[in-house]
Amino acid sequence: MNKKKMIQDFYRMKQEHEIITFLTAYDFPTAQFAEAAGLDMLLVGDSLGMCVYGYSGTNPVNMDQMIYHAQAVRRGAPNTFVIGDMPFMSYQSSVEKAVENAGRFLKEAECDAIKLEGGVRIKDKIKAIVDSGITVMGHIGLTPQSSGQLGGHKAQGRTADAARLVVEDAYAVQDAGAQMILLEAIPPEVGEFITRKLSIPVLSIGAGPHCDGQLLIVSDMIGQFQAFTPKFVKKYCNVAQVVTDAMKAYCEEVRAGKFPTEDHCYRMVKGEDEKFLNLMEEKR
Ligand code: KIV
């Protein structure tokens, strides 16, 4: 059984240059697979809006949906560090709402930490959540909840001025007390700079190989999500193909009368089959 890693382990890993492995998970079986595979941390991301519910973005997801999925992941991965992702409008409107909703992830789903999107402009929310005793992961660079303002799901920090703004966000997140930060879709030079400058563990999803750990969306890396594939994704298998092929084979066998076979049938208790037929004969 894995020994569950805690936040102190991630600080040690940063210092010792041991890379942190990180994936999203949205359900019980995937969480079980991830724990068996030895992942260091799991994110119950609001990307489940697209990957599980089929929304065109993450913004329709609400707190109750996040809690149900976080509970399932917690049950599947009891010995893995699980982070609950604050959905759109669960923290933006007030500090009180931010603290209350962050607390729900710990109280109702036994998460180890929460994640929220934004840098300078949500410093007050990060500080209030941390002050209430909750471990926080910041998330800057491409922040999908505000992709409308960013002009879509586009890489950030690609000019010197834009990169400076990303760095300012990174410092703001650390200064507000967050214990970890996630960088999404920024050039590797910027990812490396932030990783060197910050004392907290820096996780990357599309921020290059020099960060303290790597995250992918599980539905992307197993080839399940098919709408689009971001540049930073590597597919390690093609679940969509495997499952579609299996379903086609099932249909073919059912239509051809090849399934079910004897092997898939329950047998009557010895001698009872004949009794049963006699009984039915009498009833006629
Ligand atoms: O919801 C999510 O999975 C995320 C990743 C895109 C980082 O926030």
Side-chain angles (χ1 to χ4, degrees):
M1 194 176 38
N2 299 335
K3 184 178 171 303
K4 182 172 169 180
K5 292 196 175 76
M6 300 307 290
I7 187 69
Q8 293 74 11
D9 294 301
F10 303 126
Y11 277 81
R12 178 192 54 74
M13 289 171 81
K14 178 180 176 88
Q15 256 151 32
E16 296 176 3
H17 303 290
E18 192 184 330
I19 304 284
I20 300 164
T21 56
F22 189 18
L23 272 180
T24 66
Y26 314 117
D27 57 37
F28 176 80
T30 308
Q32 283 188 310
F33 302 150
E35 186 156 298
L39 265 294
D40 294 316
M41 49 169 100
L42 292 175
L43 172 68
V44 186
D46 66 354
S47 49
L48 63 81
M50 300 163 87
C51 300
V52 176
Y53 288 97
Y55 301 140
S56 62
T58 57
N59 287 355
V61 176
N62 63 40
M63 267 308 292
D64 287 342
Q65 287 170 307
M66 292 304 302
I67 295 292
Y68 294 142
H69 286 274
Q71 287 170 336
V73 169
R74 175 80 290 163
R75 286 191 289 268
N79 295 309
T80 305
F81 192 89
V82 172
I83 302 168
D85 197 13
M86 305 276 289
F88 184 56
M89 281 303 142
S90 67
Y91 60 95
Q92 286 90 342
S93 60
S94 74
V95 160
E96 291 70 27
K97 199 166 178 181
V99 173
E100 198 174 307
N101 282 320
R104 285 191 65 190
F105 278 108
L106 275 72
K107 243 180 140 48
E108 298 175 41
E110 298 180 79
C111 286
D112 299 291
I114 62 94
K115 172 175 91 56
L116 73 179
E117 296 182 7
V120 173
R121 67 180 174 185
I122 60 148
K123 263 187 102 161
D124 57 336
K125 317 291 187 321
I126 295 176
K127 182 172 177 349
I129 297 170
V130 172
D131 285 348
S132 70
I134 297 170
T135 304
V136 171
M137 173 181 278
H139 175 176
I140 61 165
L142 170 56
T143 44
Q145 291 173 12
S146 43
S147 59
Q149 285 183 335
L150 300 177
H153 285 82
K154 288 188 179 153
Q156 302 295 303
R158 296 182 68 204
T159 64
D161 280 342
R164 187 178 49 81
L165 293 179
V166 177
V167 172
E168 278 174 15
D169 274 339
Y171 279 121
V173 166
Q174 175 169 276
D175 293 348
Q179 290 93 339
M180 293 174 281
I181 188 166
L182 174 68
L183 311 178
E184 179 167 354
I186 60 169
E189 298 86 338
V190 187
E192 183 177 12
F193 181 83
I194 293 171
T195 305
R196 270 197 287 112
K197 292 292 178 185
L198 296 197
S199 56
I200 59 177
V202 177
L203 287 304
S204 156
I205 178 161
H210 309 294
C211 297
D212 300 311
Q214 294 294 329
L215 168 68
L216 279 180
I217 304 271
V218 70
S219 316
D220 288 332
M221 65 81 69
I222 64 170
Q224 190 177 41
F225 181 72
Q226 298 182 86
F228 61 88
T229 306
K231 183 173 171 59
F232 54 72
V233 169
K234 177 171 176 184
K235 289 191 185 188
Y236 285 81
C237 62
N238 193 341
V239 159
Q241 196 61 55
V242 170
V243 173
T244 308
D245 287 349
M247 289 175 175
K248 277 186 191 160
Y250 166 74
C251 288
E252 276 166 25
E253 290 200 357
V254 168
R255 289 184 186 122
K258 289 187 181 163
F259 176 85
T261 66
E262 283 281 300
D263 287 347
H264 309 107
C265 293
Y266 297 97
R267 302 261 58 94
M268 284 191 91
V269 174
K270 206 159 186 274
E272 291 294 310
D273 46 351
E274 210 162 309
K275 256 198 213 157
F276 169 66
L277 291 176
N278 290 339
L279 196 65
M280 290 301 102
E281 201 54 38
E282 280 164 24
K283 286 239 146 84
R284 238 191 228 167

